[in-house]
Coordinates of all heavy atoms in Angstrom, one line a residue:
M1 N 77.9 93.2 161.1 CA 79.0 92.1 161.3 C 78.3 90.9 162.0 O 77.6 91.1 163.0 CB 80.1 92.7 162.1 CG 81.3 91.7 162.2 SD 82.7 92.6 162.9 CE 83.0 91.6 164.3
I2 N 78.6 89.8 161.6 CA 78.0 88.6 162.2 C 79.1 87.9 163.0 O 80.2 87.7 162.5 CB 77.5 87.6 161.2 CG1 76.4 88.3 160.3 CG2 76.9 86.4 161.8 CD1 76.1 87.5 159.0
L3 N 78.8 87.7 164.3 CA 79.7 87.0 165.1 C 79.4 85.5 165.2 O 78.3 85.2 165.4 CB 79.7 87.6 166.6 CG 80.4 88.9 166.8 CD1 80.1 89.4 168.2 CD2 81.9 88.7 166.6
F4 N 80.4 84.7 165.0 CA 80.2 83.3 165.1 C 80.7 82.8 166.4 O 81.8 82.6 166.7 CB 80.9 82.5 164.0 CG 80.3 82.8 162.6 CD1 80.8 83.8 161.8 CD2 79.3 82.0 162.2 CE1 80.3 84.0 160.6 CE2 78.7 82.3 160.9 CZ 79.2 83.3 160.1
L5 N 79.7 82.8 167.3 CA 80.0 82.4 168.7 C 79.3 81.0 169.0 O 78.3 80.8 168.5 CB 79.5 83.4 169.7 CG 80.2 84.7 169.8 CD1 79.3 85.7 170.5 CD2 81.5 84.5 170.6
G6 N 79.9 80.3 169.8 CA 79.2 79.0 170.2 C 80.1 78.1 170.9 O 81.3 78.4 171.2
T7 N 79.6 76.9 171.1 CA 80.4 75.9 171.7 C 80.3 74.6 170.8 O 79.4 74.4 170.0 CB 79.8 75.5 173.1 OG1 78.5 75.0 172.9 CG2 79.8 76.6 174.0
R8 N 81.4 73.9 170.9 CA 81.4 72.6 170.2 C 82.3 71.7 170.9 O 83.3 72.1 171.5 CB 81.8 72.8 168.7 CG 83.1 73.4 168.5 CD 83.6 73.2 167.1 NE 83.5 74.3 166.3 CZ 83.9 74.4 165.0 NH1 84.4 73.3 164.4 NH2 83.8 75.4 164.3
P9 N 82.1 70.4 170.7 CA 82.9 69.4 171.4 C 84.3 69.4 170.7 O 84.4 69.5 169.5 CB 82.2 68.1 171.2 CG 81.2 68.3 170.1 CD 81.0 69.8 170.0
G10 N 85.3 69.2 171.5 CA 86.6 68.9 171.0 C 86.8 67.5 170.8 O 85.9 66.7 170.7
K11 N 88.0 67.1 170.6 CA 88.3 65.6 170.4 C 88.1 64.8 171.7 O 88.3 65.4 172.8 CB 89.6 65.4 169.7 CG 90.8 65.8 170.6 CD 92.1 65.3 169.9 CE 93.2 65.5 170.9 NZ 94.4 65.7 170.8
T12 N 87.8 63.6 171.5 CA 87.6 62.7 172.6 C 88.9 61.9 172.9 O 89.5 61.4 172.0 CB 86.5 61.7 172.3 OG1 85.3 62.5 172.0 CG2 86.2 60.8 173.5
E13 N 89.3 61.9 174.2 CA 90.5 61.1 174.6 C 90.0 59.8 175.2 O 89.1 59.8 176.0 CB 91.3 61.9 175.6 CG 91.9 63.2 175.2 CD 92.4 64.0 176.4 OE1 93.1 63.3 177.2 OE2 92.1 65.1 176.5
I14 N 90.6 58.7 174.7 CA 90.2 57.4 175.3 C 91.4 56.9 176.0 O 92.6 56.9 175.6 CB 89.9 56.5 174.1 CG1 88.9 57.1 173.1 CG2 89.5 55.1 174.6 CD1 87.5 56.8 173.4
K15 N 91.1 56.4 177.2 CA 92.2 55.8 178.0 C 91.7 54.5 178.6 O 90.7 54.4 179.2 CB 92.6 56.8 179.1 CG 93.9 56.4 179.8 CD 94.2 57.4 180.9 CE 95.4 56.9 181.7 NZ 95.7 57.8 182.8
Q16 N 92.6 53.5 178.4 CA 92.3 52.2 179.0 C 92.9 52.1 180.4 O 94.1 52.5 180.6 CB 92.9 51.1 178.2 CG 92.7 49.7 178.6 CD 91.5 49.0 178.0 OE1 91.1 49.3 176.9 NE2 90.8 48.2 178.8
L17 N 92.1 51.8 181.4 CA 92.6 51.7 182.8 C 93.1 50.3 183.1 O 92.4 49.3 183.1 CB 91.5 52.1 183.8 CG 91.0 53.5 183.7 CD1 90.0 53.7 184.9 CD2 92.1 54.5 183.8
Q18 N 94.5 50.2 183.2 CA 95.1 48.9 183.5 C 95.1 48.8 185.0 O 95.1 49.7 185.8 CB 96.5 48.9 183.0 CG 96.7 49.2 181.5 CD 96.1 48.2 180.6 OE1 95.9 47.0 181.0 NE2 95.9 48.6 179.4
N19 N 95.0 47.5 185.5 CA 95.1 47.2 186.9 C 94.0 47.9 187.8 O 94.3 48.2 189.0 CB 96.5 47.5 187.4 CG 97.6 46.9 186.6 OD1 97.5 45.7 186.3 ND2 98.6 47.7 186.3
V20 N 92.9 48.2 187.2 CA 91.8 48.8 188.0 C 90.6 47.8 187.8 O 90.3 47.4 186.8 CB 91.4 50.2 187.5 CG1 90.2 50.7 188.2 CG2 92.6 51.2 187.6
N21 N 90.1 47.5 189.0 CA 88.9 46.6 189.0 C 87.6 47.4 188.8 O 87.4 48.5 189.3 CB 88.8 45.9 190.3 CG 90.0 44.9 190.5 OD1 90.5 44.3 189.5 ND2 90.4 44.8 191.7
C22 N 86.7 46.8 188.0 CA 85.4 47.4 187.8 C 84.7 47.3 189.1 O 84.6 46.2 189.7 CB 84.7 46.7 186.7 SG 82.9 47.1 186.6
P23 N 84.1 48.4 189.7 CA 83.4 48.3 191.0 C 82.2 47.4 190.9 O 81.7 46.9 191.9 CB 83.0 49.7 191.3 CG 83.9 50.6 190.4 CD 84.2 49.7 189.2
F24 N 81.7 47.1 189.7 CA 80.4 46.3 189.6 C 80.7 44.8 189.4 O 80.2 44.0 190.2 CB 79.6 46.9 188.5 CG 78.2 46.3 188.4 CD1 77.3 46.6 189.3 CD2 77.9 45.4 187.4 CE1 76.0 46.1 189.2 CE2 76.6 44.8 187.3 CZ 75.7 45.2 188.2
C25 N 81.5 44.5 188.5 CA 81.8 43.1 188.2 C 83.1 42.6 188.7 O 83.4 41.4 188.5 CB 81.6 42.8 186.7 SG 82.9 43.5 185.7
A26 N 84.0 43.5 189.2 CA 85.3 43.2 189.8 C 86.3 42.6 188.8 O 87.3 42.0 189.2 CB 85.1 42.2 191.0
Q27 N 86.0 42.7 187.5 CA 87.0 42.3 186.5 C 88.1 43.4 186.4 O 87.8 44.6 186.6 CB 86.4 42.2 185.1 CG 85.4 41.1 185.0 CD 86.1 39.7 185.0 OE1 87.0 39.5 184.3 NE2 85.6 38.8 185.9
S28 N 89.3 42.9 186.2 CA 90.4 43.9 186.1 C 90.8 44.3 184.7 O 90.8 43.4 183.8 CB 91.7 43.3 186.8 OG 92.7 44.2 186.8
G29 N 91.1 45.5 184.5 CA 91.6 46.0 183.2 C 90.5 46.1 182.1 O 90.8 46.1 180.9
T30 N 89.2 46.2 182.5 CA 88.1 46.2 181.5 C 87.6 47.6 181.4 O 86.7 47.8 180.5 CB 87.0 45.3 182.0 OG1 86.6 45.7 183.3 CG2 87.4 43.8 182.0
L31 N 88.1 48.6 182.2 CA 87.5 49.9 182.1 C 88.2 50.8 181.1 O 89.4 50.8 181.0 CB 87.6 50.6 183.5 CG 86.7 49.9 184.6 CD1 87.2 50.3 186.0 CD2 85.3 50.3 184.4
T32 N 87.4 51.5 180.3 CA 87.9 52.4 179.3 C 87.3 53.8 179.6 O 86.0 53.9 179.8 CB 87.5 52.0 177.9 OG1 87.9 50.6 177.7 CG2 88.2 52.9 176.9
V33 N 88.1 54.8 179.8 CA 87.6 56.1 180.1 C 87.7 57.0 178.8 O 88.7 57.0 178.1 CB 88.5 56.7 181.2 CG1 88.1 58.2 181.4 CG2 88.3 56.0 182.5
S34 N 86.6 57.7 178.5 CA 86.6 58.6 177.4 C 86.3 60.0 177.9 O 85.3 60.2 178.7 CB 85.7 58.2 176.3 OG 84.4 58.1 176.8
K35 N 87.0 60.9 177.5 CA 86.9 62.3 178.0 C 86.6 63.2 176.8 O 87.4 63.3 175.8 CB 88.2 62.7 178.7 CG 88.1 64.1 179.3 CD 89.4 64.4 180.1 CE 89.3 65.8 180.7 NZ 90.5 66.1 181.3
T36 N 85.5 63.9 176.8 CA 85.2 64.9 175.7 C 85.1 66.3 176.3 O 84.5 66.5 177.4 CB 83.8 64.5 175.1 OG1 83.8 63.2 174.8 CG2 83.6 65.3 173.8
S37 N 85.8 67.2 175.7 CA 85.8 68.6 176.2 C 85.0 69.5 175.3 O 85.0 69.3 174.1 CB 87.2 69.1 176.3 OG 88.0 68.3 177.0
N38 N 84.2 70.4 175.9 CA 83.5 71.4 175.1 C 84.2 72.7 175.1 O 84.7 73.1 176.2 CB 82.1 71.5 175.6 CG 81.2 70.3 175.3 OD1 81.1 70.0 174.2 ND2 80.7 69.7 176.3
W39 N 84.4 73.3 174.0 CA 85.1 74.5 173.9 C 84.2 75.7 173.5 O 83.3 75.5 172.7 CB 86.2 74.4 172.8 CG 87.3 73.4 173.2 CD1 87.2 72.1 173.1 CD2 88.6 73.7 173.8 NE1 88.4 71.5 173.6 CE2 89.2 72.5 174.0 CE3 89.2 74.9 174.1 CZ2 90.5 72.4 174.6 CZ3 90.4 74.8 174.7 CH2 91.1 73.6 174.9
F40 N 84.5 76.8 174.0 CA 83.9 78.0 173.6 C 84.7 78.6 172.5 O 85.9 78.7 172.6 CB 83.8 79.0 174.8 CG 83.0 80.3 174.5 CD1 81.7 80.3 174.6 CD2 83.7 81.4 174.1 CE1 81.0 81.4 174.3 CE2 83.0 82.5 173.8 CZ 81.6 82.6 173.9
H41 N 84.0 78.9 171.3 CA 84.8 79.3 170.2 C 84.2 80.6 169.6 O 83.0 80.9 169.7 CB 85.0 78.2 169.1 CG 83.7 77.8 168.5 ND1 83.2 78.4 167.3 CD2 82.7 77.0 168.9 CE1 82.1 77.8 167.0 NE2 81.7 77.0 167.9
L42 N 85.1 81.3 168.9 CA 84.7 82.6 168.2 C 85.4 82.5 166.9 O 86.6 82.4 166.8 CB 85.2 83.8 169.1 CG 85.1 85.1 168.4 CD1 83.6 85.5 168.2 CD2 85.8 86.2 169.3
F43 N 84.6 82.6 165.8 CA 85.1 82.4 164.5 C 85.9 81.1 164.3 O 87.0 81.1 163.7 CB 86.0 83.6 164.0 CG 85.2 84.8 163.9 CD1 85.3 85.9 164.8 CD2 84.3 85.0 162.8 CE1 84.5 87.0 164.7 CE2 83.6 86.2 162.7 CZ 83.7 87.2 163.6
W44 N 85.4 80.1 164.9 CA 86.0 78.7 164.8 C 87.4 78.7 165.5 O 88.2 77.7 165.3 CB 86.1 78.2 163.4 CG 84.8 78.2 162.8 CD1 83.8 77.2 163.0 CD2 84.1 79.1 161.9 NE1 82.7 77.5 162.3 CE2 82.8 78.7 161.7 CE3 84.6 80.3 161.4 CZ2 82.0 79.4 160.8 CZ3 83.7 81.0 160.6 CH2 82.4 80.6 160.3
I45 N 87.7 79.6 166.3 CA 89.0 79.6 167.1 C 88.6 79.2 168.5 O 87.8 79.8 169.1 CB 89.7 81.0 167.1 CG1 90.0 81.4 165.6 CG2 90.9 80.9 167.9 CD1 90.3 82.8 165.5
K46 N 89.2 78.2 169.0 CA 89.0 77.7 170.3 C 89.5 78.8 171.3 O 90.6 79.2 171.2 CB 89.8 76.4 170.6 CG 89.1 75.2 170.0 CD 90.0 74.0 170.4 CE 89.5 72.7 169.8 NZ 90.5 71.6 170.1
L47 N 88.6 79.2 172.2 CA 89.0 80.3 173.1 C 89.4 79.6 174.5 O 90.4 79.8 175.0 CB 88.0 81.3 173.3 CG 87.7 82.2 172.1 CD1 86.6 83.2 172.5 CD2 89.0 83.0 171.8
F48 N 88.4 78.9 175.1 CA 88.7 78.3 176.3 C 87.7 77.1 176.5 O 86.7 77.0 175.8 CB 88.6 79.2 177.5 CG 87.3 80.0 177.6 CD1 86.1 79.5 178.2 CD2 87.2 81.3 177.0 CE1 85.0 80.3 178.2 CE2 86.0 82.0 177.0 CZ 84.9 81.5 177.6
R49 N 88.1 76.2 177.3 CA 87.3 75.0 177.6 C 86.2 75.4 178.6 O 86.5 75.9 179.7 CB 88.2 73.9 178.1 CG 87.6 72.6 178.0 CD 88.7 71.5 178.1 NE 89.2 71.5 179.4 CZ 90.2 70.6 179.8 NH1 90.7 69.8 178.9 NH2 90.6 70.6 181.0
I50 N 85.0 75.0 178.3 CA 83.9 75.3 179.3 C 83.6 74.1 180.1 O 83.1 74.3 181.2 CB 82.7 75.9 178.6 CG1 82.3 75.1 177.3 CG2 82.9 77.4 178.2 CD1 80.9 75.4 176.8
S51 N 83.7 73.0 179.6 CA 83.3 71.8 180.4 C 84.0 70.6 179.8 O 84.4 70.6 178.6 CB 81.8 71.6 180.4 OG 81.3 71.3 179.1
S52 N 84.1 69.6 180.6 CA 84.5 68.3 180.1 C 83.6 67.2 180.6 O 83.1 67.3 181.7 CB 86.0 68.1 180.4 OG 86.1 67.9 181.8
N53 N 83.5 66.2 179.8 CA 82.6 65.1 180.2 C 83.4 63.8 180.2 O 83.9 63.5 179.2 CB 81.5 65.1 179.1 CG 80.4 64.1 179.5 OD1 80.1 63.8 180.6 ND2 79.8 63.6 178.5
T54 N 83.5 63.2 181.3 CA 84.3 62.0 181.4 C 83.4 60.9 181.8 O 82.7 60.9 182.8 CB 85.4 62.2 182.5 OG1 86.2 63.4 182.2 CG2 86.4 61.0 182.5
V55 N 83.5 59.8 181.1 CA 82.7 58.6 181.4 C 83.6 57.4 181.3 O 84.6 57.4 180.5 CB 81.4 58.4 180.6 CG1 80.4 59.4 180.9 CG2 81.8 58.4 179.1
A56 N 83.3 56.4 182.1 CA 84.1 55.1 182.0 C 83.1 54.0 181.6 O 82.0 54.0 182.1 CB 84.8 54.8 183.3
E57 N 83.6 53.1 180.8 CA 82.7 52.0 180.5 C 83.5 50.7 180.7 O 84.7 50.6 180.3 CB 82.3 52.1 179.0 CG 81.1 51.1 178.8 CD 80.7 50.9 177.3 OE1 81.2 51.7 176.5 OE2 80.0 49.9 177.0
C58 N 82.8 49.7 181.3 CA 83.4 48.4 181.5 C 83.0 47.5 180.3 O 81.9 47.4 179.9 CB 82.8 47.8 182.8 SG 83.4 46.1 183.0
S59 N 84.1 46.9 179.7 CA 83.8 46.1 178.5 C 83.3 44.7 178.9 O 82.8 44.0 178.1 CB 85.1 45.9 177.7 OG 86.1 45.3 178.5
H60 N 83.3 44.4 180.2 CA 82.8 43.1 180.6 C 81.4 43.1 181.0 O 80.6 42.4 180.4 CB 83.7 42.6 181.8 CG 83.3 41.2 182.3 ND1 83.7 40.1 181.7 CD2 82.5 40.8 183.3 CE1 83.2 39.1 182.3 NE2 82.5 39.5 183.3
C61 N 81.0 44.0 181.9 CA 79.6 44.1 182.3 C 78.8 45.2 181.6 O 77.6 45.3 181.8 CB 79.4 44.2 183.8 SG 80.1 45.8 184.4
K62 N 79.5 46.0 180.8 CA 78.9 47.1 180.0 C 78.3 48.2 180.8 O 77.5 49.0 180.4 CB 77.8 46.6 179.0 CG 78.2 45.4 178.1 CD 79.1 45.9 177.1 CE 79.6 44.8 176.2 NZ 80.9 45.0 175.6
R63 N 78.7 48.3 182.1 CA 78.3 49.3 182.9 C 79.0 50.6 182.6 O 80.2 50.6 182.3 CB 78.5 49.0 184.4 CG 77.3 49.3 185.3 CD 77.7 49.4 186.7 NE 77.5 50.8 187.0 CZ 76.8 51.2 188.1 NH1 76.2 50.4 188.9 NH2 76.6 52.5 188.3
V64 N 78.2 51.7 182.6 CA 78.8 53.0 182.4 C 78.9 53.8 183.7 O 77.9 53.9 184.4 CB 78.1 53.8 181.3 CG1 78.6 55.2 181.1 CG2 78.1 53.0 179.9
Y65 N 80.0 54.4 183.9 CA 80.2 55.2 185.2 C 80.4 56.6 184.8 O 81.2 56.9 183.9 CB 81.4 54.7 185.9 CG 81.3 53.3 186.4 CD1 81.8 52.3 185.6 CD2 80.7 53.0 187.6 CE1 81.7 51.0 186.1 CE2 80.6 51.7 188.1 CZ 81.1 50.7 187.3 OH 81.0 49.4 187.7
F66 N 79.7 57.5 185.4 CA 79.9 58.9 185.3 C 81.0 59.4 186.3 O 81.2 58.7 187.2 CB 78.6 59.7 185.4 CG 77.6 59.4 184.3 CD1 76.6 58.4 184.5 CD2 77.7 60.0 183.1 CE1 75.7 58.1 183.5 CE2 76.9 59.6 182.0 CZ 75.9 58.7 182.3
E67 N 81.5 60.5 186.0 CA 82.6 61.0 186.8 C 82.4 61.0 188.3 O 83.2 60.6 189.1 CB 83.0 62.4 186.4 CG 84.5 62.7 186.5 CD 84.9 64.0 185.8 OE1 84.1 64.6 185.1 OE2 86.0 64.4 186.0
E68 N 81.2 61.3 188.7 CA 80.9 61.4 190.2 C 80.7 60.0 190.8 O 80.7 59.8 192.0 CB 79.6 62.2 190.5 CG 78.3 61.8 189.8 CD 78.1 62.4 188.4 OE1 79.1 62.9 187.8 OE2 77.0 62.4 187.9
E69 N 80.7 58.9 189.9 CA 80.6 57.6 190.4 C 81.9 56.8 190.4 O 82.0 55.7 190.8 CB 79.6 56.8 189.5 CG 78.2 57.3 189.4 CD 77.4 56.5 188.4 OE1 77.7 56.6 187.2 OE2 76.4 55.9 188.8
F70 N 83.0 57.5 189.9 CA 84.3 56.8 189.8 C 84.7 56.4 191.2 O 84.6 57.2 192.2 CB 85.3 57.8 189.2 CG 85.2 57.9 187.7 CD1 84.1 57.5 187.0 CD2 86.2 58.6 187.0 CE1 84.0 57.6 185.6 CE2 86.1 58.8 185.6 CZ 85.0 58.3 185.0
S71 N 85.3 55.2 191.3 CA 85.9 54.8 192.5 C 87.3 55.5 192.7 O 87.8 56.0 191.8 CB 86.1 53.3 192.5 OG 87.1 52.9 191.6
E72 N 87.7 55.4 194.0 CA 89.0 56.1 194.2 C 90.2 55.5 193.4 O 91.1 56.2 192.9 CB 89.4 55.8 195.7 CG 89.1 57.1 196.6 CD 89.5 56.8 198.0 OE1 90.6 56.4 198.3 OE2 88.6 57.0 198.9
E73 N 90.0 54.2 193.1 CA 91.0 53.5 192.3 C 91.0 54.0 190.9 O 92.1 54.2 190.3 CB 90.6 52.0 192.3 CG 91.8 51.0 192.1 CD 91.3 49.6 192.1 OE1 90.1 49.4 192.3 OE2 92.1 48.7 191.9
M74 N 89.8 54.3 190.4 CA 89.7 54.8 189.0 C 90.3 56.2 188.9 O 91.0 56.6 188.0 CB 88.3 54.8 188.6 CG 87.7 53.4 188.3 SD 85.9 53.4 188.5 CE 85.4 54.0 186.9
L75 N 90.0 57.0 189.9 CA 90.5 58.4 190.0 C 92.0 58.5 190.1 O 92.7 59.3 189.4 CB 89.8 59.2 191.2 CG 88.3 59.5 191.0 CD1 87.8 60.0 192.4 CD2 88.0 60.4 189.9
R76 N 92.5 57.5 190.8 CA 94.0 57.5 191.0 C 94.6 57.1 189.7 O 95.7 57.6 189.3 CB 94.3 56.5 192.1 CG 95.4 57.0 193.1 CD 95.7 56.1 194.2 NE 94.5 55.7 194.9 CZ 94.2 54.4 195.3 NH1 95.0 53.4 194.9 NH2 93.2 54.1 196.0
A77 N 94.0 56.2 189.0 CA 94.6 55.7 187.7 C 94.5 56.9 186.6 O 95.3 56.9 185.7 CB 93.9 54.5 187.2
L78 N 93.6 57.8 186.8 CA 93.5 58.9 185.8 C 94.4 60.0 186.1 O 94.7 60.8 185.2 CB 92.0 59.4 185.8 CG 91.0 58.5 185.1 CD1 89.6 59.0 185.4 CD2 91.3 58.5 183.6
S79 N 94.8 60.2 187.4 CA 95.5 61.4 187.7 C 97.0 61.2 187.4 O 97.5 60.1 187.2 CB 95.3 61.8 189.2 OG 95.7 60.7 190.0
Ligands
LIG1 ZN1 82.3 45.6 184.9

């Protein structure tokens, strides 16, 4: 019997942060957050989420922020 085990990315959620200033260029409403989750699956059935990857990008200065670099303002807008 062959077991199909593995991980694969789930769908990506995109969220525009309104009223949040980019910590780098100080423009407001330019940050877009995308969240991708990785799932552990067995026979193509999602079992549980093993990790998620959240990044924010500023459309003005093109700076990309990783989750650990998010400002308090950004974290508040996401929660
Ligand atoms: Zn910016």
Side-chain angles (χ1 to χ4, degrees):
M1 186 169 124
I2 301 162
L3 282 173
F4 292 94
L5 286 164
T7 60
R8 60 161 104 177
K11 66 171 189 210
T12 303
E13 294 168 48
I14 309 271
K15 192 180 173 186
Q16 180 93 36
L17 296 186
Q18 308 291 342
N19 307 314
V20 176
N21 294 324
C22 170
F24 189 72
C25 69
Q27 293 290 310
S28 180
T30 56
L31 292 163
T32 308
V33 171
S34 59
K35 185 177 177 184
T36 311
S37 304
N38 287 304
W39 293 81
F40 185 82
H41 66 94
L42 173 64
F43 293 106
W44 301 282
I45 300 161
K46 282 180 185 177
L47 290 181
F48 51 87
R49 195 160 73 180
I50 46 166
S51 66
S52 66
N53 185 32
T54 309
V55 290
E57 194 192 344
C58 174
S59 61
H60 184 78
C61 66
K62 306 290 177 205
R63 223 201 114 124
V64 173
Y65 297 92
F66 295 97
E67 212 166 352
E68 60 270 18
E69 301 174 295
F70 284 11
S71 69
E72 260 180 53
E73 209 181 357
M74 289 158 80
L75 292 170
R76 226 178 303 133
L78 282 171
S79 60

